[in-house]
Structures are given as structure tokens and as C-alpha cells.
Amino acid sequence: MALKKSPTDLLSNSAWNGIAFAVAVALNLLILPFVVFRLGVAAFGVASLVTACVAPALAFSNALALSATRELAQRLAPSQRDEAQRHFATAMMLAIGVGSLIAIILSLAGAPLARLGFHLVGPSADDLGLAFVLAAAGWLCQCLSAVVLALFTARQDYRRIATISISGTVIATASMLLLIPRWPHASTFLGCQALGFATNLALAFGLSRRATGEWMAWPALHRGPLGHLVRLGGWQLAAQAGAVVTVQADRYLLGALLQPQFVGFYSIAQRLEEAVYIGVLKVGEVLFPFFSTLQAEADDRKVDLLFRSSWVLNVIAASAIGGLVPVAGPLLHLWTGAEVAAEGQRVLVILSIAGILGSSANVFAFYLLAQGRSRSNALISLLTGIATLAASAVALPYFGWQAAGWSACFGMIAQMVTTVILLRTSFSLAGMWSRLVHFVLVPLGAGIVTALALRWYLHDAWFGPAPSWPYVGSIYFVAAGIIFVVAVAVSQIGAHGATSRRDLHVIASRLLPIRGP
């Protein structure tokens, strides 16, 4: 039988996912000012451009990992072990064969094309060739480990996944502290990241051989599993490609039109917003294998779980991401200095609003993928990427680099509209529009309005010329709490208010130490 998970198990899985991501974010955010100080903004911008150039390869590795996870999640019974082994062997063969080819292409062609497209010259770009080799090697380790981790993800074993992720992040961070002061180059930074990915790969193989060794197999191609993986992964590849364009469009155009330091400013602001956004995404990531086990459920049951899960994550996203808006300037000032704060705070505010809007589609994307509807995900992702790229191409040449965030907002609006249309055509249940408004639009809209109101009210005046970490942190958490209260309060209005209250009570009774009678 397929592995079943109760709501309590899902909360535990979310907790493990959240812990792993919190550790990774904390270490990355702590090390980034050190890296920027040692490398300089220009060299950090070059490293960001190299990462952006390697990012399209993630479309393949992510699509392969997701399709492998879905196929393995549907073959958990002992009687299906042989079939699961064939799927694992085929996925690993694809990762080794296609992944090695992609890594070689990136290593050989990446540096010449980057110099031509981004006009990279000067000391900060002297080690561009080595930077691409190390970045490509790190991606290949990431690709291989993703297939092995699919064994754990299919079983919703997020405790081991968290252990692997935390270990790799610790190794990468420690190596940066040791190596970057001695060799302050973009390639050193990317090499340290690659070392972390190599650690993840080694630990993934070691733990999987102990825990799920009988489900593993030597790399080989099997026709049936290959068809299953390609059928889902082909459309998912298109979806991941659109996602890459959405995330990297501004970096590509900034690198082509302006100097690398502007890419550095943008990457620093984006790193903060991405940290919170992906953290929320990680909490909800456990819904993918959970939805994969609901194939036999009735449509009304699926829709009920879909919208209720979406409301919970949307409230969390609006609160966590919206809390960045009032403290954008002081937070960047404390984190990386006055220059970055002056240049990047407006971009951080705009990117935060885009992140809140983008949260509207996260749960629906997990559901569509779990149901094998990767074509719909591909359509959403591609249209979002096209809208983002078009907006960047129009705005950046005329308004400069600080217009970068507006294209992300435009892309997220296009994503929301596309998702709504697909949902409306997918389900014909009564009350669809009221559910969409209550569980999706209301919490996100309340979060954006409240965050902007708090920013206007504060005007950054309360922080003074030299803000402190405790004060800025307390203002962030107070702002996030206010947004949470407003989003929850507004959600009590309407026909679905009782459902929201019931779900909130269940979550609180699980997380809080005090139990009711």
C-alpha cells in the first residue's frame, strides 16, 4: 500500500524541512557579508552571474528529481520493489549521462559566452574559467544527490533529508571562512559551494545504503521506467525552464546592460527575499508526496485539502515575507552596509511584494505535479517566465537597475491569472470562486496592504542612524505578527471562516505545548 501520512505527520515533516532550511538560511545569511567584504561587490556580482548561467541546468536536475520522487512514491510496497529499483536505476543513469554532458558543456563554453554576453573584464573576472568548472561540478553533485534523495522524499523521510542538507551547508560555510581570506576570488566562493554539494552527495549515498539499500540499483536504462520519467519529466523540464527564466531574467539583463556590481546589489537584495520565500516553500514541500498518495480520492476531497493547505501557506507567506517590507532599509544596512542599503532597499520591498504574489501558486503547483499534470505546471511557468523577461526587457533600459523588481511583480501577476484559469477549467465544483477568494486572494492581499501600511507608518525613522540587530529583529517579528493577525482576522469573514478557524485550531493544538481538555 502507498505510504499514508496524517496531518500530524505532515506537520512533523514540515518542521524537519523548516529546521533544515532555517539552518541553511542562517548560515548563508551570516556568511554573505563576510563573502561580500572579502571579495568585493564586483567579484560577488561575477559569481552571481556564473550561478545564473549554470541555473538553466537546474531545469533538468529538478525535473528528474521530481519525476523520480513521484514514481517511487507510487511504488512503496514490498511487492513493487523490483519495479522501484528499475525506476531508480534509470533515473540515476539519466543523471550520470545527461548530467555529465551538461556539466562538460558548461565548463567549456560557459566562460567564453559569459565574457561575450556580459562584457566581463578586469581582475574580478580573471578566474572565470575556473569559476564555471567548479560551479558545473557542484551542479553535477547536486543532480546526482537529488536522485538518491528521491528515495527519502518518496517515503517522506524528511529527518534524514534535513540531516544531509544541514551537513552540506555547514561544510560549505566552514570552507568559505577558511579559504576565501586566502584566495579572495569568485571561483573560491563557487568552489566552497561545490564542496557542500559534494558532501550532500556522499552523505546521501551513505545513509541511503543503510536505510533503503534494497531499493537501490546500479545505473541502467529500462524502457518502461524511462517512458514514465520522460512523460512526466518532459513537461516538468519546461516548467523548470520557465522558473529559471523568472528568477534569473533580471540578472541576465543587468549583466548585459550594466556593470557586475549592480548584479551584486540585486543578488544581495534577492538573497534576503528568496531566503524567506523558499523557507515558506520548504514548509509546504511535504505536500507533494502527500498529494501523490491521493490518486484514488474524490475530487471534492482533493479540492478541500488543496484550498485549506493553500490558506495555511498563504497566511504564513504573507506574514514572513511581508515582515521584510517595513525593515528593508535598516536590515540591509545592518547586514551588508550603508551602500547596499541605499541601493537595494527599494528593490527588496518590490521583490517581497512579488514573493507574496508568487506564493499564490505554490500549493497548486505541488498538486498539479502530484496528479501528473506537469503540462499545466509547464504552461504556468513558461507564461510567468515570458511575462517577467518581457517586463525586464522594457523596464531596465529606461529606468535603470532599480526597476528590476517590478518585472518580478508583473510575472507573478501573470502566474496568478494563469493558475486561476487552469483551476477554473479543472474543477466544476460549486463555490470554486468563493474558495479561491477566501483561501488565496484574501490572505495575500491583506498581507501586502498591511506590510505597505507598516512601512509608510514607520518611514524607517524609528530605527535611527545606527540601527541595532535586536531592535530591527524585534520590529520584523512584530510586523510579521501584525500581518498574521490581520490576515487571519480577515479570513474569519465569509462562508469559509469556520473552516479556517478549525484548521488554525488543529495546527495550534499540535505546535503549542498547552493542550485543551
Side-chain angles (χ1 to χ4, degrees), residues 217-409:
W218 286 101
L221 288 179
H222 299 278
R223 180 175 301 178
L226 179 62
H228 295 156
L229 293 170
V230 170
R231 191 177 302 115
L232 177 67
W235 284 109
Q236 192 58 30
L237 180 64
Q240 293 291 330
V244 168
V245 172
T246 301
V247 174
Q248 306 295 342
D250 285 331
R251 288 186 189 179
Y252 293 146
L253 290 173
L254 285 171
L257 298 173
L258 301 172
Q259 296 299 313
Q261 58 262 32
F262 291 101
V263 181
F265 290 139
Y266 177 83
S267 298
I268 291 169
Q270 190 184 45
R271 185 70 64 91
L272 266 178
E273 184 273 330
E274 273 187 338
V276 183
Y277 178 85
I278 298 176
V280 176
L281 192 64
K282 286 290 183 182
V283 172
E285 201 173 60
V286 298
L287 292 170
F288 168 51
F290 173 70
F291 284 147
S292 296
T293 65
L294 299 178
Q295 304 290 334
E297 297 285 348
D299 278 353
D300 56 348
R301 172 64 173 164
K302 294 178 183 177
V303 171
D304 181 58
L305 292 172
L306 178 66
F307 278 105
R308 288 164 57 194
S309 302
S310 182
W311 179 79
V312 173
L313 282 186
N314 287 337
V315 170
I316 295 174
S319 305
I321 303 174
L324 293 174
V325 173
V327 299
L331 184 58
L332 285 173
H333 188 176
L334 280 171
W335 189 38
T336 51
E339 181 185 9
V340 176
E343 295 285 348
Q345 65 172 307
R346 182 180 299 177
V347 174
L348 178 55
V349 169
I350 298 170
L351 287 175
S352 298
I353 295 173
I356 295 174
L357 293 172
S359 300
S360 64
N362 289 339
V363 174
F364 301 124
F366 289 136
Y367 172 79
L368 291 171
L369 182 60
Q371 297 300 308
R373 297 182 54 189
S374 52
R375 182 182 302 183
S376 297
N377 267 342
L379 179 61
I380 294 171
S381 185
L382 288 174
L383 290 178
T384 303
I386 292 171
T388 304
L389 186 60
S392 294
V394 172
L396 286 178
Y398 291 100
F399 301 105
W401 87 271
Q402 291 200 19
W406 288 108
S407 60
C409 287

Side-chain angles (χ1 to χ4, degrees), residues 63-86:
L64 180 61
L66 287 170
S67 56
T69 297
R70 182 176 184 271
E71 297 301 327
L72 292 172
Q74 296 178 356
R75 295 167 176 84
L76 298 177
S79 60
Q80 298 173 303
R81 183 179 301 169
D82 291 342
E83 191 176 356
Q85 287 177 337
R86 289 192 292 270

Side-chain angles (χ1 to χ4, degrees), residues 165-249:
S165 174
I166 291 172
S167 301
T169 304
V170 169
I171 294 297
T173 304
S175 63
M176 290 178 193
L177 290 172
L178 293 174
L179 300 179
I180 287 180
R182 185 169 184 178
W183 296 289
H185 306 295
S187 59
T188 308
F189 174 64
L190 295 169
C192 293
Q193 289 184 328
L195 183 61
F197 292 135
T199 302
N200 288 343
L201 177 60
L203 286 176
F205 266 109
L207 291 179
S208 61
R209 287 184 65 84
R210 293 176 56 186
T212 59
E214 66 275 14
W215 296 85
M216 301 175 69
W218 286 101
L221 288 179
H222 299 278
R223 180 175 301 178
L226 179 62
H228 295 156
L229 293 170
V230 170
R231 191 177 302 115
L232 177 67
W235 284 109
Q236 192 58 30
L237 180 64
Q240 293 291 330
V244 168
V245 172
T246 301
V247 174
Q248 306 295 342

Side-chain angles (χ1 to χ4, degrees), residues 3-16:
L3 184 65
K4 300 292 184 182
K5 288 286 180 181
S6 68
T8 295
D9 295 319
L10 289 177
L11 287 173
S12 298
N13 288 337
S14 294
W16 279 112

Side-chain angles (χ1 to χ4, degrees), residues 432-458:
M432 177 64 66
W433 284 112
S434 65
R435 294 187 189 190
L436 185 66
V437 170
H438 179 89
F439 293 112
V440 179
L441 301 183
V442 165
L444 296 182
I448 293 174
V449 171
T450 307
L452 291 175
L454 288 172
R455 178 172 176 81
W456 175 83
Y457 182 68
L458 291 175

